[in-house]
Amino acid sequence: MEKTKTKIWLGLGSYLLASVSPVAIATADDAENTLTGRQGPILVADQGGEGGQGGERGAHRKGGEGGEGGEGGERGAGARPETDDVSYLTQLGLVRGHLNVGFDLYQQGAVKAAKTHMKHPGDELYADLKPAFAARGVAGFADQLQKLASLVEKEAPISAVKSAYSELESAIEAAAKGAASPDVKTRLEVAEHLVRTAAEEYAVGVKDGKVVNAHEYQDALGFVRIAKKTVTAADADSKADAEALERAKAQFEGIESAWPGVVAPKTVDADASLIYGAADWIEIAAMKAR
């Protein structure tokens, strides 16, 4: 997988850290929305003009882009899944993202593509999580992961694959309980890391409006789907948290057009800057949460 990625940072001047611009409304194309399964208008954040467009963030910003496509969850210096809940839940989210699009592709008959996504978590991501499982006193899900990958590799009936996928999801959910029950701030931080990693993948998969790497395009979709689930599952117990969640949810509406479907088209009307911008706005929302 290509390791060099172009990061396009939108104009988010320092004043944005104090306040978030109103959300502007744009009209989506008639194509079905692949994140929500519905049609209609989407929301995009007002990017606040041209200020600060050239400012790539420093090397110490939640760095550590391990694995393919920055799939280290953009952990901060010293932040490890053994002890850091955001890092741990982000890593689990990356696994879930691969599995999500893999299962979706299998259901749609794109078996060859599904195989690569089902195999990837075991090859690249699971090993990094094993020390965290031990440190947190939870069982891993190696057996369930292998079972699903094996069934997909053998091109088993969809009913068997669906059952194995459900079992694996339950095992991952049990492993996630090794972290403290995530508050709104934690959920938003996890979502931001997932969306930013999705932007990195999308930058590899899409060049000048052409899908040049379908796997990376699909990875990005899977990570954003899991990020959205992470946010929508949150319950706000304060006005600040409620406002932060609404701001974050608006960003998912704004980037849905980047994926016309899970099966990659030849061209798209989006680029990675759209997704990087959403990650920045979710990061700001996390700062506003209590």
Side-chain angles (χ1 to χ4, degrees):
M1 187 182 298
E2 184 180 343
K3 292 185 179 293
T4 302
K5 298 178 174 62
T6 302
K7 291 190 177 183
I8 308 171
W9 302 103
L10 299 185
L12 294 174
S14 59
Y15 67 92
L16 287 177
L17 297 180
S19 62
V20 177
S21 299
V23 174
I25 299 177
T27 303
D29 293 334
D30 290 335
E32 182 174 80
N33 190 311
T34 190
L35 295 184
T36 62
R38 62 177 176 78
Q39 298 176 347
I42 59 175
L43 300 176
V44 294
D46 176 1
Q47 301 299 342
E50 298 179 357
Q53 234 169 324
E56 181 173 351
R57 301 185 179 191
H60 296 292
R61 181 219 176 281
K62 301 188 185 74
E65 293 172 2
E68 297 184 0
E71 288 179 22
E74 300 215 339
R75 297 190 294 272
R80 299 185 57 80
E82 292 93 326
T83 56
D84 183 78
D85 284 351
V86 172
S87 177
Y88 180 62
L89 295 172
T90 297
Q91 289 293 96
L92 291 178
L94 293 173
V95 172
R96 280 176 155 156
H98 280 292
L99 299 173
N100 179 284
V101 292
F103 181 62
D104 195 354
L105 286 163
Y106 199 80
Q107 289 187 107
Q108 295 192 32
V111 176
K112 183 177 179 180
K115 289 179 180 180
T116 65
H117 290 284
M118 294 304 192
K119 188 172 182 290
H120 185 92
D123 288 349
E124 299 289 340
L125 295 170
Y126 190 83
D128 289 341
L129 279 165
K130 289 170 71 175
F133 297 148
R136 293 171 181 272
V138 296
F141 43 87
D143 291 344
Q144 295 91 334
L145 192 62
Q146 179 57 42
K147 178 181 178 180
L148 177 62
S150 179
L151 286 171
V152 170
E153 185 64 32
K154 295 175 182 177
E155 301 184 14
I158 186 61
S159 58
V161 172
K162 184 176 181 179
S163 177
Y165 178 69
S166 179
E167 290 175 8
L168 178 53
E169 272 286 290
S170 296
I172 297 174
E173 185 62 33
K177 292 179 180 178
S181 180
D183 56 15
V184 168
K185 190 176 188 68
T186 297
R187 286 181 178 275
L188 289 174
E189 289 178 352
V190 170
E192 181 251 319
H193 294 344
L194 291 173
V195 173
R196 199 172 300 284
T197 304
E200 293 167 359
E201 302 294 308
Y202 201 87
V204 173
V206 177
K207 303 289 187 182
D208 298 322
K210 297 180 180 179
V211 178
V212 297
N213 188 318
H215 185 95
E216 304 293 358
Y217 163 94
Q218 290 155 353
D219 278 352
L221 173 58
F223 300 157
V224 167
R225 283 176 170 177
I226 300 305
K228 183 176 181 179
K229 288 182 178 180
T230 299
V231 171
T232 56
D235 293 320
D237 56 8
S238 71
K239 181 179 180 181
D241 283 355
E243 290 176 349
L245 287 172
E246 287 306 308
R247 286 167 178 161
K249 290 174 183 177
Q251 300 313 307
F252 294 105
E253 297 290 322
I255 61 178
E256 286 166 343
S257 61
W259 296 276
V262 66
V263 176
K266 292 183 179 180
T267 61
V268 291
D269 293 325
D271 62 36
S273 63
L274 180 71
I275 308 167
Y276 277 121
D280 283 343
W281 284 86
I282 294 171
E283 181 177 19
I284 292 170
M287 293 177 183
K288 296 289 186 178
R290 296 289 181 262

